[in-house]
Amino acid sequence: MVSSTVLKRYCIITLLFGCINIPVWSQDQVMGELYSNLSVLPEDTSKVEAIFDILQASPFRESHVELAKQAYYLSHSLDYSIGIAKSAYHLGVMLREKLDYKTSYKNLMIALKNAKAIGDKSLMVDVLHAYGNNKDRQNHIDSAFWYYHEALRLADSIDYPYRLAEIHYSISGLSNHIGQNDKALQHILEAEAYYEGVGKGKDCWHVLNLLGIIFEESANQSRAFEYYFDALDMAKESQDRNAEVIVSNNLAILYELVGKLTEAKEFLWAAIQKAHVVGLKEDEAYLLSNIAAIYIDEKDTLRAMSSLQKSLSMMRDLNDKCEIAYPMVGLGDLYLLKTNFDSAQWYYEQSVALANECQNSPLLASAYRSLGVLCINQGKYNSGISNLKKSLDVGRQVNLLEEQKKTFLELYQAYKKKKDVVNALFCFEKYQQVRDSLLDEVEMNEIAKVTSEYEFRKKLQNLEYKRKSESLKLQAEVSKQETDKLGLYAVIALTLILAVSLYRAYFLVQNQNKRLKIINDEKNTLMGVVAHDLRSPLNNIKSIMSLVRLDNAIKGEHGEDYAQILDDSVDNMREMIDRVMDISAIEEMRLNLKMERSDVGQLLERVADNYEFIASKKEISIKRDFESKMYFARIDTKYALQVFDNLMSNAIKYSNPRSQIELSIQIRNGGGVCVSFRDEGQGISELDQTKLFVKYQKLSARPTGNEESTGLGLFIVKKFVDAMGGDVTCQSVLGQGSTFVVKFPEA
């Protein structure tokens, strides 16, 4: 079962009063000067304006509420209309941050009334935007849109580009929240255009982050990676930990979407730690819900339950009912995994109700799909299909391609169980279409390019930091010995040597990285072509076989067994393609192993059965010198099957017609289980034996039946066996055949 939890992406509503870009290193100094000036000013309008400078120059602080009140009462006593309006506006915004919406609205109303009286349209725009933010925070979607568009209409009529950009951003964020990504993209590009014009500073990260979310949900993952990486760099540069948490979470979700769970968990845990240290409880609750979804996919129920319960508890404390739906869907997935159907149904139904109430289309599509899967698991096919169709309708309305892919697959499985051949085939074809659009080869290569460039950029930054560090050490040494002429000469010589060494190292690193990138691109292209060309025919065979098996089962014919064998073979081949697709994982030994005690004899028997027909074409007999249920080793069953499959395929390829292949299993004194593949083929020369297990190596011996060879089979065998803690060797004499021996740890 694949977890259906919708991972929460962060899109923030701008809360700044008017962004003054004060460098982080000087902010405390600036604030100190502003407070000093305030203390010596008389009780007149100059003091009111000085308070506004403080409120404008730094993020919200608890003490600022009292300052804003001081400005408000002083402005009243002076009958200073603009002061009354501005201080009321600041109070309205700050009280919203304290979740006191009622008092916030009262102050914003005072601000709007006074701004209209004095004709200050800029302030009227600020207040209308703040109204929209308040409604947005309370999930009053229609009202929020109304105030945003009123603010936009008025801002268009005056020269107020910054606030205009922020309004476009707010409309885009709300549109994305309810699944209207076309509208969201239109408005966020308007906001980005403003920041492009003034130069992207530290305040632009939230715009880039939202662009990443929109492109991710539109299945343009490479563009999403680019925007997220840029947003993260800006957040780090400005030392904004809240921003780092938000962007790291979104990057983790994107890595999880493209199948890189290790990177996803790294970003999530880094964000969780930052949120906990800084005290961002709401962020921490979201992050715990997100990482629980990955634990559910990995079937780690204990960690998933711990994370979800903590997330739910924190969200209840925050009293945000719309966001509580996220851990509830996760708990439904967890109980479904544990076959506790009653609890799963309760959580799913609660999630559907909350998603409907909050107009959260992505969450609603996911919750309906989960509810449909639950009904089908209970044998309630009609109810299950009905919920899956609801999920599909919502997913189509807001163009959620990933959700549509998962739902079509579940519908295919449901119709297949009902023996509804026509609808099963239709849903499977739709599933293939959506999946292929998400796994477009060009897009996957672009993702690899963007992520590798980011990693390379980080390495160069580390090298630059190291160079600067060494340079500072040398400067200190020079300063210490400046009175000693001989010592000074020595330092100069050392500096020159170090500079040359660093330049040479930097040059070598650049050349090596360029060379590795070229090799990596060539490898990715080759593997992408092979896997992509195989995927379509295999999928067609798979869908046709499922229908053949259904048709035969209905008619009572005996061909179902043969169809099942073909079906299993296609499954194995698709699994092999998926494993070979990511060669980088093989080369770096980042294999997702599931080590367990398995019957090696049973696995070898299965491989021998699969190759009987192929061997018979060359009149080759397969001798089985072993028994099942006698030889047990600690292995990953799927990887071991691929190892045996490759060795068996090679044995047949290089054996002469009318010869024999002998398969045997022995338990050695050292405690290992040894599986042997002996053929009577051409044998391998001593020179060629030195090239075994090297990728893309084609040896002098050629297949006896003109079969094809990629040069990858033995390379993959070696990597898989090493990963499982085993060993593979070859004994061969030219002209007398070969014996390959695989040794696994005994269980």
Side-chain angles (χ1 to χ4, degrees):
M1 184 199 81
V2 178
S3 171
S4 62
T5 301
V6 172
L7 300 180
K8 173 68 177 178
R9 295 173 179 83
Y10 277 113
C11 168
I12 65 166
I13 300 300
T14 304
L15 304 174
L16 305 177
F17 306 147
C19 292
I20 295 178
N21 290 323
I22 301 174
V24 173
W25 57 269
S26 65
Q27 188 171 356
D28 289 339
Q29 180 181 356
V30 170
M31 293 302 297
E33 291 176 358
L34 290 173
Y35 273 106
S36 296
N37 293 337
L38 183 65
S39 63
V40 298
L41 288 173
E43 298 290 315
D44 58 17
T45 57
S46 61
K47 188 163 190 172
V48 173
E49 293 298 328
I51 291 174
F52 292 155
D53 288 340
I54 293 174
L55 299 179
Q56 190 104 343
S58 71
F60 167 72
R61 299 178 183 179
E62 190 70 27
S63 60
H64 288 177
V65 176
E66 294 304 319
L67 271 180
K69 288 180 179 179
Q70 183 181 349
Y72 179 78
Y73 292 126
L74 182 57
S75 297
H76 257 294
S77 66
L78 298 170
D79 198 20
Y80 185 37
S81 298
I82 186 64
I84 296 172
K86 284 186 177 180
S87 55
Y89 163 69
H90 283 295
L91 276 170
V93 173
M94 286 187 286
L95 289 169
R96 177 187 62 210
E97 293 309 296
K98 295 169 69 68
L99 305 182
D100 186 354
Y101 293 109
K102 184 177 180 180
T103 313
S104 171
Y105 280 122
K106 287 181 179 179
N107 281 277
L108 290 175
M109 184 66 72
I110 294 171
L112 185 61
K113 179 181 177 181
N114 281 270
K116 285 180 178 179
I118 59 179
D120 190 334
K121 291 186 177 181
S122 294
L123 185 55
M124 290 167 63
V125 170
D126 292 340
V127 176
L128 288 169
H129 186 219
Y131 262 114
N133 286 167
N134 277 19
K135 295 295 185 181
D136 200 340
R137 285 290 193 89
Q138 295 175 283
N139 291 292
H140 299 161
I141 308 298
D142 294 336
S143 296
F145 271 129
W146 190 88
Y147 281 111
Y148 284 153
H149 283 291
E150 282 296 298
L152 187 64
R153 181 186 58 78
L154 185 57
D156 266 331
S157 67
I158 60 176
D159 185 20
Y160 199 179
Y162 166 75
R163 184 59 70 189
L164 193 62
E166 290 301 296
I167 297 168
H168 277 298
Y169 169 79
S170 297
I171 295 173
S172 177
L174 186 54
S175 300
N176 169 259
H177 176 70
I178 63 174
Q180 297 178 0
N181 270 343
D182 290 341
K183 182 177 180 181
L185 183 59
Q186 173 191 345
H187 285 280
I188 196 63
L189 290 176
E190 293 286 345
E192 188 190 27
Y194 163 77
Y195 282 103
E196 289 283 1
V198 299
K200 289 183 177 179
K202 69 182 181 66
D203 298 314
C204 185
W205 72 267
H206 62 290
V207 174
L208 300 177
N209 176 67
L210 182 52
L211 273 163
I213 292 172
I214 294 169
F215 279 113
E216 176 187 339
E217 293 179 351
S218 303
N220 192 340
Q221 292 97 339
S222 59
R223 292 288 299 278
F225 270 117
E226 288 179 7
Y227 281 115
Y228 283 150
F229 285 143
D230 286 346
L232 186 60
D233 286 342
M234 287 186 181
K236 288 180 177 178
E237 183 180 349
S238 61
Q239 299 179 26
D240 188 336
R241 290 188 179 180
N242 187 31
E244 284 188 59
V245 168
I246 291 170
V247 182
S248 295
N249 171 76
N250 294 343
L251 267 170
I253 294 171
L254 187 52
Y255 270 118
E256 193 270 342
L257 187 63
V258 299
K260 296 183 177 293
L261 295 185
T262 301
E263 290 84 350
K265 287 193 285 190
E266 286 176 359
F267 272 101
L268 275 175
W269 274 117
I272 288 171
Q273 290 171 359
K274 282 190 178 75
H276 186 75
V277 169
V278 180
L280 304 172
K281 292 184 179 180
E282 186 176 9
D283 297 349
E284 186 179 354
Y286 289 141
L287 294 162
L288 287 167
S289 177
N290 286 350
I291 202 165
I294 297 178
Y295 287 142
I296 292 172
D297 283 338
E298 295 176 336
K299 295 182 173 54
D300 189 343
T301 56
L302 290 177
R303 288 184 179 177
M305 179 62 79
S306 174
S307 298
L308 287 169
Q309 286 179 339
K310 188 173 181 181
S311 173
L312 186 61
S313 174
M314 294 175 75
M315 285 185 176
R316 280 175 173 160
D317 290 342
L318 293 166
N319 197 29
D320 193 339
K321 67 177 181 180
C322 287
E323 306 305 337
I324 286 175
Y326 286 97
M328 281 190 167
V329 174
L331 284 165
D333 290 337
L334 182 57
Y335 282 118
L336 178 57
L337 181 64
K338 298 168 75 171
T339 67
N340 188 339
F341 295 144
D342 289 341
S343 295
Q345 182 173 351
W346 187 87
Y347 280 111
Y348 286 149
E349 288 175 348
Q350 292 295 312
S351 302
V352 167
L354 287 171
N356 262 317
E357 182 180 348
C358 300
Q359 300 181 43
N360 189 332
S361 297
L363 180 62
L364 184 60
S366 178
Y368 271 134
R369 177 167 52 80
S370 298
L371 196 55
V373 172
L374 172 64
C375 291
I376 291 166
N377 273 272
Q378 294 174 299
K380 303 173 183 176
Y381 295 116
N382 292 335
S383 178
I385 290 172
S386 174
N387 280 300
L388 289 173
K389 286 182 176 179
K390 289 178 183 177
S391 171
L392 197 58
D393 288 341
V394 176
R396 283 170 168 166
Q397 289 171 13
V398 294
N399 197 32
L400 299 172
L401 294 180
E402 184 68 24
E403 281 295 324
Q404 290 180 52
K405 181 193 78 170
K406 294 176 182 177
T407 305
F408 272 126
L409 182 59
E410 296 295 348
L411 278 168
Y412 161 69
Q413 298 288 356
Y415 282 123
K416 186 176 173 183
K417 289 178 181 178
K418 285 189 69 179
K419 303 189 186 304
D420 186 341
V421 174
V422 176
N423 280 320
L425 180 57
F426 173 79
C427 290
F428 192 81
E429 288 174 347
K430 288 294 184 181
Y431 161 72
Q432 286 179 279
Q433 291 172 10
V434 179
R435 188 192 62 178
D436 287 344
S437 70
L438 286 169
L439 293 176
D440 179 74
E441 184 181 352
V442 175
E443 176 66 10
M444 293 303 290
N445 287 337
E446 191 64 25
I447 290 171
K449 177 183 175 183
V450 172
T451 54
S452 62
E453 285 178 353
Y454 180 74
E455 292 299 323
F456 180 64
R457 198 161 71 238
K458 286 202 301 185
K459 289 178 182 177
L460 288 182
Q461 288 175 350
N462 291 336
L463 186 63
E464 179 66 16
Y465 293 150
K466 183 177 180 181
R467 186 189 67 78
K468 287 181 179 179
S469 176
E470 294 294 338
S471 177
L472 289 172
K473 289 180 181 178
L474 287 173
Q475 290 176 17
E477 187 68 21
V478 170
S479 177
K480 182 180 178 182
Q481 299 183 7
E482 61 183 355
T483 56
D484 188 340
K485 189 174 182 178
L486 293 176
L488 181 60
Y489 288 150
V491 170
I492 293 172
L494 181 61
T495 303
L496 290 173
I497 293 170
L498 183 58
V500 171
S501 299
L502 286 172
Y503 178 80
R504 183 172 179 274
Y506 181 76
F507 181 79
L508 290 174
V509 167
Q510 280 193 316
N511 283 345
Q512 183 68 8
N513 275 285
K514 288 178 181 178
R515 181 171 173 272
L516 289 173
K517 187 177 183 301
I518 292 171
I519 294 171
N520 187 60
D521 288 344
E522 291 175 352
K523 174 261 295 180
N524 283 342
T525 301
L526 173 62
M527 298 312 299
V529 169
V530 173
H532 189 272
D533 287 346
L534 282 172
R535 185 185 288 114
S536 289
L538 285 176
N539 282 335
N540 290 334
I541 294 171
K542 174 72 176 175
S543 59
I544 292 170
M545 282 302 99
S546 67
L547 297 179
V548 169
R549 188 167 67 253
L550 279 173
D551 193 45
N552 288 341
I554 293 168
K555 295 177 181 179
E557 295 178 11
H558 297 291
E560 185 180 4
D561 292 339
Y562 300 103
Q564 183 62 49
I565 292 172
L566 286 172
D567 201 349
D568 290 344
S569 298
V570 172
D571 280 337
N572 289 336
M573 293 173 72
R574 288 175 64 185
E575 249 178 25
M576 290 165 62
I577 289 170
D578 290 339
R579 290 171 182 274
V580 174
M581 277 286 282
D582 190 3
I583 286 294
S584 63
I586 296 173
E587 291 174 338
E588 298 171 17
M589 298 307 295
R590 294 186 286 103
L591 302 175
N592 188 17
L593 294 173
K594 184 179 179 182
M595 303 294 286
E596 56 188 4
R597 185 175 186 267
S598 298
D599 183 358
V600 176
Q602 187 179 14
L603 297 182
L604 193 57
E605 186 79 31
R606 178 176 166 186
V607 172
D609 289 342
N610 289 341
Y611 278 91
E612 281 286 356
F613 178 73
I614 297 173
S616 68
K617 289 184 177 181
K618 297 173 72 172
E619 297 181 51
I620 296 172
S621 63
I622 301 175
K623 181 182 178 183
R624 312 180 193 202
D625 187 14
F626 62 89
E627 295 182 20
S628 296
K629 301 182 180 179
M630 288 187 62
Y631 308 95
F632 291 90
R634 183 168 177 75
I635 56 175
D636 180 300
T637 303
K638 292 182 179 178
Y639 283 112
L641 273 173
Q642 190 168 342
V643 168
F644 293 166
D645 188 275
N646 284 345
L647 293 175
M648 191 70 201
S649 174
N650 277 359
I652 294 174
K653 282 181 187 178
Y654 296 96
S655 286
N656 297 314
R658 294 176 295 281
S659 62
Q660 177 178 275
I661 295 173
E662 182 179 346
L663 308 179
S664 61
I665 306 176
Q666 295 179 336
I667 298 181
R668 298 282 173 86
N669 293 333
V673 176
C674 295
V675 183
S676 300
F677 295 74
R678 187 177 69 81
D679 62 61
E680 299 174 353
Q682 309 163 54
I684 305 170
S685 68
E686 291 184 1
L687 177 61
D688 280 348
Q689 287 184 42
T690 64
K691 303 176 185 178
L692 289 175
F693 311 115
V694 179
K695 64 179 177 179
Y696 303 122
Q697 287 292 333
K698 294 188 178 182
L699 310 182
S700 56
R702 307 305 303 159
T704 58
N706 295 321
E707 295 97 331
E708 289 293 327
S709 174
T710 64
L712 276 173
L714 291 177
F715 166 71
I716 293 173
V717 165
K718 175 68 172 172
K719 291 296 182 182
F720 284 177
V721 171
D722 287 348
M724 289 185 282
D727 185 37
V728 57
T729 58
C730 174
Q731 301 166 3
S732 182
V733 177
L734 196 61
Q736 298 181 23
S738 305
T739 301
F740 283 84
V741 180
V742 180
K743 181 181 178 182
F744 291 121
E746 186 179 4

mmCIF file of all heavy atoms in Angstrom, residues 198-213:
data_model
loop_
_atom_site.group_PDB
_atom_site.id
_atom_site.type_symbol
_atom_site.label_atom_id
_atom_site.label_comp_id
_atom_site.label_asym_id
_atom_site.label_seq_id
_atom_site.Cartn_x
_atom_site.Cartn_y
_atom_site.Cartn_z
ATOM 1 N N VAL A 198 13.744 45.329 -8.890
ATOM 2 C CA VAL A 198 14.481 46.013 -7.810
ATOM 3 C C VAL A 198 15.704 45.220 -7.361
ATOM 4 O O VAL A 198 16.469 45.690 -6.519
ATOM 5 C CB VAL A 198 13.562 46.262 -6.592
ATOM 6 C CG1 VAL A 198 12.398 47.138 -6.983
ATOM 7 C CG2 VAL A 198 13.077 44.948 -5.995
ATOM 8 N N GLY A 199 15.874 44.012 -7.908
ATOM 9 C CA GLY A 199 16.999 43.170 -7.470
ATOM 10 C C GLY A 199 16.557 42.250 -6.364
ATOM 11 O O GLY A 199 16.011 42.686 -5.348
ATOM 12 N N LYS A 200 16.763 40.957 -6.563
ATOM 13 C CA LYS A 200 16.271 39.964 -5.604
ATOM 14 C C LYS A 200 17.076 40.047 -4.302
ATOM 15 O O LYS A 200 18.216 39.632 -4.239
ATOM 16 C CB LYS A 200 16.362 38.555 -6.190
ATOM 17 C CG LYS A 200 15.357 38.308 -7.299
ATOM 18 C CD LYS A 200 15.427 36.884 -7.807
ATOM 19 C CE LYS A 200 14.374 36.642 -8.862
ATOM 20 N NZ LYS A 200 14.419 35.272 -9.401
ATOM 21 N N GLY A 201 16.433 40.568 -3.275
ATOM 22 C CA GLY A 201 17.067 40.638 -1.965
ATOM 23 C C GLY A 201 16.579 39.535 -1.061
ATOM 24 O O GLY A 201 15.922 38.590 -1.488
ATOM 25 N N LYS A 202 16.854 39.660 0.222
ATOM 26 C CA LYS A 202 16.516 38.602 1.174
ATOM 27 C C LYS A 202 15.011 38.415 1.328
ATOM 28 O O LYS A 202 14.560 37.364 1.765
ATOM 29 C CB LYS A 202 17.139 38.907 2.534
ATOM 30 C CG LYS A 202 16.531 40.099 3.281
ATOM 31 C CD LYS A 202 17.260 40.346 4.582
ATOM 32 C CE LYS A 202 16.645 41.511 5.354
ATOM 33 N NZ LYS A 202 15.302 41.231 5.823
ATOM 34 N N ASP A 203 14.207 39.442 0.973
ATOM 35 C CA ASP A 203 12.760 39.342 1.153
ATOM 36 C C ASP A 203 12.068 38.605 0.010
ATOM 37 O O ASP A 203 10.855 38.428 0.039
ATOM 38 C CB ASP A 203 12.152 40.742 1.285
ATOM 39 C CG ASP A 203 12.695 41.470 2.501
ATOM 40 O OD1 ASP A 203 12.752 40.842 3.569
ATOM 41 O OD2 ASP A 203 13.077 42.640 2.368
ATOM 42 N N CYS A 204 12.829 38.204 -1.008
ATOM 43 C CA CYS A 204 12.224 37.575 -2.181
ATOM 44 C C CYS A 204 12.095 36.061 -2.034
ATOM 45 O O CYS A 204 11.471 35.414 -2.873
ATOM 46 C CB CYS A 204 13.066 37.896 -3.415
ATOM 47 S SG CYS A 204 12.384 37.304 -4.962
ATOM 48 N N TRP A 205 12.631 35.486 -0.981
ATOM 49 C CA TRP A 205 12.648 34.022 -0.881
ATOM 50 C C TRP A 205 11.237 33.444 -0.899
ATOM 51 O O TRP A 205 11.009 32.365 -1.438
ATOM 52 C CB TRP A 205 13.377 33.583 0.399
ATOM 53 C CG TRP A 205 12.617 33.846 1.668
ATOM 54 C CD1 TRP A 205 12.699 34.938 2.473
ATOM 55 C CD2 TRP A 205 11.628 32.997 2.252
ATOM 56 N NE1 TRP A 205 11.823 34.841 3.520
ATOM 57 C CE2 TRP A 205 11.158 33.651 3.423
ATOM 58 C CE3 TRP A 205 11.089 31.755 1.926
ATOM 59 C CZ2 TRP A 205 10.187 33.098 4.245
ATOM 60 C CZ3 TRP A 205 10.117 31.200 2.745
ATOM 61 C CH2 TRP A 205 9.673 31.866 3.894
ATOM 62 N N HIS A 206 10.260 34.158 -0.277
ATOM 63 C CA HIS A 206 8.911 33.610 -0.198
ATOM 64 C C HIS A 206 8.254 33.526 -1.575
ATOM 65 O O HIS A 206 7.453 32.634 -1.830
ATOM 66 C CB HIS A 206 8.053 34.437 0.768
ATOM 67 C CG HIS A 206 7.859 35.867 0.368
ATOM 68 N ND1 HIS A 206 8.876 36.790 0.402
ATOM 69 C CD2 HIS A 206 6.758 36.532 -0.071
ATOM 70 C CE1 HIS A 206 8.409 37.962 0.011
ATOM 71 N NE2 HIS A 206 7.125 37.833 -0.292
ATOM 72 N N VAL A 207 8.604 34.447 -2.485
ATOM 73 C CA VAL A 207 8.076 34.397 -3.842
ATOM 74 C C VAL A 207 8.664 33.198 -4.590
ATOM 75 O O VAL A 207 7.953 32.448 -5.265
ATOM 76 C CB VAL A 207 8.386 35.712 -4.597
ATOM 77 C CG1 VAL A 207 7.973 35.617 -6.056
ATOM 78 C CG2 VAL A 207 7.680 36.885 -3.924
ATOM 79 N N LEU A 208 9.971 32.999 -4.462
ATOM 80 C CA LEU A 208 10.618 31.854 -5.116
ATOM 81 C C LEU A 208 10.096 30.533 -4.549
ATOM 82 O O LEU A 208 9.916 29.553 -5.284
ATOM 83 C CB LEU A 208 12.135 31.943 -4.926
ATOM 84 C CG LEU A 208 12.800 33.195 -5.502
ATOM 85 C CD1 LEU A 208 14.286 33.197 -5.196
ATOM 86 C CD2 LEU A 208 12.578 33.285 -6.998
ATOM 87 N N ASN A 209 9.843 30.515 -3.243
ATOM 88 C CA ASN A 209 9.315 29.304 -2.608
ATOM 89 C C ASN A 209 7.930 28.946 -3.172
ATOM 90 O O ASN A 209 7.650 27.784 -3.491
ATOM 91 C CB ASN A 209 9.221 29.526 -1.099
ATOM 92 C CG ASN A 209 8.585 28.355 -0.375
ATOM 93 O OD1 ASN A 209 9.125 27.260 -0.308
ATOM 94 N ND2 ASN A 209 7.412 28.577 0.184
ATOM 95 N N LEU A 210 7.072 29.944 -3.337
ATOM 96 C CA LEU A 210 5.735 29.688 -3.876
ATOM 97 C C LEU A 210 5.809 29.269 -5.344
ATOM 98 O O LEU A 210 5.048 28.402 -5.787
ATOM 99 C CB LEU A 210 4.855 30.927 -3.709
ATOM 100 C CG LEU A 210 3.397 30.796 -4.200
ATOM 101 C CD1 LEU A 210 2.719 29.574 -3.616
ATOM 102 C CD2 LEU A 210 2.616 32.059 -3.854
ATOM 103 N N LEU A 211 6.734 29.846 -6.101
ATOM 104 C CA LEU A 211 6.925 29.415 -7.489
ATOM 105 C C LEU A 211 7.331 27.942 -7.534
ATOM 106 O O LEU A 211 6.877 27.175 -8.387
ATOM 107 C CB LEU A 211 7.996 30.275 -8.170
ATOM 108 C CG LEU A 211 7.484 31.568 -8.814
ATOM 109 C CD1 LEU A 211 8.628 32.524 -9.081
ATOM 110 C CD2 LEU A 211 6.733 31.277 -10.102
ATOM 111 N N GLY A 212 8.188 27.541 -6.593
ATOM 112 C CA GLY A 212 8.569 26.129 -6.512
ATOM 113 C C GLY A 212 7.370 25.233 -6.256
ATOM 114 O O GLY A 212 7.212 24.180 -6.881
ATOM 115 N N ILE A 213 6.483 25.640 -5.336
ATOM 116 C CA ILE A 213 5.283 24.856 -5.019
ATOM 117 C C ILE A 213 4.393 24.711 -6.252
ATOM 118 O O ILE A 213 3.921 23.618 -6.583
ATOM 119 C CB ILE A 213 4.489 25.531 -3.877
ATOM 120 C CG1 ILE A 213 5.282 25.464 -2.564
ATOM 121 C CG2 ILE A 213 3.124 24.875 -3.698
ATOM 122 C CD1 ILE A 213 4.657 26.259 -1.439
#
